[in-house]
């Protein structure tokens, strides 16, 4: 789910040339308050624009149509948001929100597929939203909301489940891996069916593109297959005969694959992805880690005994990972990093990397603390984001009910 500039250059040609979009976003006053109070980057000027209500000329609803292509993405609120989440997803969102009509949400429904602390879920969801904003996600450009606050996610998941062959779900690699580790008696049905919820998350908003990492490509393929299956089973003339508009019920989304180099690996194993679920906190740099903890983690991280520092040597995965982190955190090119660091020893480089991490993360942490201290403001952002998302989602799910033959409510 490389640097921000690379993402923009990779995918700019996919976006519409129009600069306006469906965006009943945060009010002008609230948006101005956000940027003045929390020292976020300057944004486009506030304008007043009305969005037409969905067409009701027939029972079919027309979701608000953006003039930009639409992108949706989300991060689970379980565990701590770390550098891998930041560079693999959130930092890229800051660039994408300037190009696309964007919806970024906290996927709390996915967080319960494995054992979790119920008392911590609400707090973690709010904290994750605050990190989104502190990192530069702008609620005047993107809808930011909590997944469970839009009930259509679960409704559509159930409808899609009826059209999902069980064989498709049994092929999911992540289910096989996690169920093998936990054992059948400890694994809930949700772990098997959560790819259907993921499909619901995407199809609900008639998404054009979905930012995905290599480990999520299989789930997006299932989403695409499911969209085409439902369109075939219930769309077209069949839907029209039931009073609908006909045609495709769902848009079939395309992947946005981050450029090479965006994947951050573990500090204790350069061949494993940095992960929330890794048992050792030493394996990751969390976005909210204090300075002393960052310094300690870098000091103790795994290295090797080879002389000098270099990228792309398969015998030196930890070296490649640490140099990649420095490249991303400093904003320098690969060539600049090689020139600067190739003759350094590990002690000198670790000091350089530690300072760069602290310099980059400290302003984000300051903004996070200010946002979390104003609970009413954060609640307002999430509520308005959910309202914006629900306008699109409700139209979609109502069309699915109609196309599948349900009795409409009057």
């Amino acid at each position: 789910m490389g640097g921000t500039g690379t993402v923009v250059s990779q995918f700019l040609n996919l976006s519409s040339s129009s600069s306006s979009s469906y965006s009943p976003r945060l009010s002008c006053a609230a948006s101005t308050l956000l940027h003045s109070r929390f020292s976020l980057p300057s944004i486009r000027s506030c304008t007043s624009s009305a969005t037409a209500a969905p067409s009701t000329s027939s029972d079919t609803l027309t979701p608000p149509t953006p003039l930009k292509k639409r992108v949706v993405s989300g991060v689970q609120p379980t565990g701590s948001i770390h550098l891998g989440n930041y560079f693999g997803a959130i930092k890229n969102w800051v660039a994408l929100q300037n190009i696309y009509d964007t919806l970024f949400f906290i996927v709390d429904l996915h967080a319960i597929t494995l054992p979790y602390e119920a008392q911590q879920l609400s707090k973690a969801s709010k904290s994750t939203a605050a990190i989104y904003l502190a990192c530069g996600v702008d609620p005047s450009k993107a809808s930011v909301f909590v997944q469970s606050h839009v009930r259509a996610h679960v409704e559509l998941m159930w409808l899609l489940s009826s059209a999902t062959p069980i064989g498709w779900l049994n092929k999911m690699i992540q289910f096989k891996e996690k169920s093998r580790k936990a054992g059948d008696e400890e694994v809930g049905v949700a772990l098997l069916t959560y790819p259907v919820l993921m499909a619901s998350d995407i199809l609900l908003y008639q998404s054009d593109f979905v930012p995905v990492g290599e480990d999520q490509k299989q789930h997006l393929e299932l989403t695409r297959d499911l969209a085409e299956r439902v369109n075939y089973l219930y769309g077209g003339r069949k839907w029209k005969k039931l009073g609908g508009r006909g045609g495709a019920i769902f848009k079939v989304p395309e992947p946005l694959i981050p450029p090479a180099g965006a994947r951050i690996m573990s500090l204790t194993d350069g061949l494993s992805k940095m992960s929330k679920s890794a048992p050792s906190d030493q394996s990751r740099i969390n976005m909210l880690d204090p300075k002393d903890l960052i310094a300690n983690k870098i000091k103790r991280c795994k290295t090797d005994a080879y002389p000098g520092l270099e990228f792309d040597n398969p015998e030196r995965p930890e070296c490649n990972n640490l140099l990649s982190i420095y490249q991303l955190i400093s904003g320098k090119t690969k060539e600049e990093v090689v020139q600067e660091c190739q003759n350094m020893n590990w002690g000198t480089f670790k000091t350089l990397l530690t300072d760069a991490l602290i310099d980059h993360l400290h302003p984000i942490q300051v903004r996070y603390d200010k946002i979390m201290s104003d609970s009413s403001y954060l609640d307002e952002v999430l509520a308005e984001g959910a309202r914006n998302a629900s306008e699109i989602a409700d139209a979609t799910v109502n069309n699915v009910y109609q196309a599948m033959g349900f009795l409409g409510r009057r």
Side-chain angles (χ1 to χ4, degrees):
M1 299 177 161
T4 300
T6 310
V7 174
V8 174
S9 63
Q10 285 278 333
F11 304 118
L12 184 59
N13 63 320
L14 297 176
S15 67
S16 167
S17 59
S18 172
S19 61
S20 62
S21 67
Y22 161 71
S23 55
R25 305 295 186 209
L26 212 60
S27 65
C28 183
S31 180
T32 302
L33 175 65
L34 167 67
H35 289 79
S36 62
R37 186 177 299 178
F38 303 126
S39 305
L40 297 186
S42 60
I43 61 166
R44 65 188 182 187
S45 61
C46 292
T47 58
S48 176
S49 62
T51 301
S55 170
T56 55
S57 57
S58 70
D59 288 340
T60 302
L61 295 179
T62 303
T65 303
L67 298 179
K68 291 181 179 180
K69 299 290 187 180
R70 181 173 289 144
V71 169
V72 299
S73 192
V75 170
Q76 285 195 34
T78 50
S80 298
I81 303 295
H82 53 68
L83 279 185
N85 303 132
Y86 176 59
F87 284 115
I90 300 172
K91 194 170 190 292
N92 294 334
W93 296 352
V94 177
L96 295 175
Q97 70 185 353
N98 295 314
I99 304 172
Y100 300 103
D101 180 63
T102 48
L103 297 100
F104 301 131
F105 48 102
I106 295 90
V107 291
D108 56 341
L109 294 171
H110 287 285
I112 67 171
T113 56
L114 292 172
Y116 71 101
E117 293 290 335
Q119 294 178 341
Q120 296 298 316
L121 182 58
S122 175
K123 180 180 177 181
S125 296
K126 208 161 187 178
S127 175
T128 301
I131 289 177
Y132 286 6
L133 301 184
C135 290
V137 173
D138 183 346
S140 74
K141 300 178 180 180
S143 291
V144 179
F145 61 99
V146 177
Q147 181 188 28
S148 63
H149 292 180
V150 180
R151 300 293 177 86
H153 284 264
V154 177
E155 287 187 67
L156 183 58
M157 179 199 177
W158 181 251
L159 297 174
L160 294 178
S161 294
S162 72
T164 306
I166 192 68
W168 290 9
L169 299 180
N170 285 332
K171 295 176 183 177
M172 293 292 104
I173 295 171
Q174 288 195 4
F175 169 73
K176 290 180 179 179
E177 292 176 348
K178 291 179 180 179
S179 61
R180 190 185 312 117
K181 290 179 182 178
D184 288 346
E185 296 302 316
E186 300 298 324
V187 172
V189 173
L191 186 61
L192 176 65
T193 60
Y194 91 91
V196 185
L197 178 58
M198 184 180 293
S200 172
D201 298 337
I202 296 166
L203 300 179
L204 198 56
Y205 299 105
Q206 304 296 339
S207 311
D208 294 284
F209 303 113
V210 182
V212 292
E214 289 296 323
D215 59 339
Q216 293 294 329
K217 287 175 69 176
Q218 188 183 35
H219 289 154
L220 184 60
E221 284 305 310
L222 183 141
T223 298
R224 288 169 51 82
D225 291 345
L226 194 49
E228 291 173 347
R229 180 178 174 85
V230 171
N231 286 342
Y232 173 76
L233 290 175
Y234 301 108
R237 293 181 179 179
K238 299 172 187 175
W239 184 17
K240 201 161 188 176
K241 287 180 180 179
L242 292 172
R245 69 164 187 266
I249 301 169
F250 294 124
K251 188 174 288 186
V252 181
E254 298 289 340
L256 281 181
I257 306 294
R263 199 177 194 197
I264 303 297
M265 311 307 282
S266 167
L267 297 181
T268 56
D269 178 4
L271 296 176
S272 299
K273 186 175 71 168
M274 188 175 286
S275 172
K276 294 178 182 182
S277 60
S280 173
D281 191 59
Q282 176 66 32
S283 67
R284 54 188 168 264
I285 299 291
N286 301 308
M287 296 298 293
L288 301 179
D289 279 348
K291 297 177 183 179
D292 290 348
L293 185 55
I294 292 173
N296 181 264
K297 287 180 176 180
I298 296 301
K299 183 178 180 180
R300 296 174 56 198
C301 71
K302 185 177 180 181
T303 55
D304 56 43
Y306 290 88
L309 304 177
E310 59 184 331
F311 283 102
D312 302 324
N313 184 339
E315 300 296 321
R316 307 185 66 184
E318 288 77 23
C319 182
N320 183 72
N321 183 44
L322 294 174
L323 286 173
S324 296
I325 292 174
Y326 179 64
Q327 178 192 343
L328 291 169
I329 210 77
S330 66
K332 297 180 180 180
T333 66
K334 196 171 184 178
E335 292 71 24
E336 288 171 335
V337 172
V338 169
Q339 180 102 22
E340 180 183 9
C341 304
Q342 61 185 338
N343 295 319
M344 286 184 179
N345 59 38
W346 280 116
T348 303
F349 175 71
K350 284 186 174 184
T351 300
L352 180 70
L353 177 58
T354 298
D355 290 343
L357 284 166
I358 292 171
D359 288 346
H360 190 91
L361 294 180
H362 180 66
I364 294 173
Q365 293 170 353
V366 169
R367 292 195 292 269
Y368 169 84
D369 289 339
K370 289 182 178 179
I371 292 167
M372 285 295 288
S373 70
D374 191 343
S375 181
S376 62
Y377 169 73
L378 191 54
D379 289 342
E380 179 186 352
V381 169
L382 295 175
E384 188 151 353
R387 285 193 293 270
N388 296 339
S390 293
E391 185 176 350
I392 307 166
D394 289 347
T396 296
V397 80
N398 285 337
N399 285 343
V400 177
Y401 276 128
Q402 182 189 51
M404 292 180 70
F406 286 84
L407 176 66
R409 287 181 291 184
R410 302 296 181 187

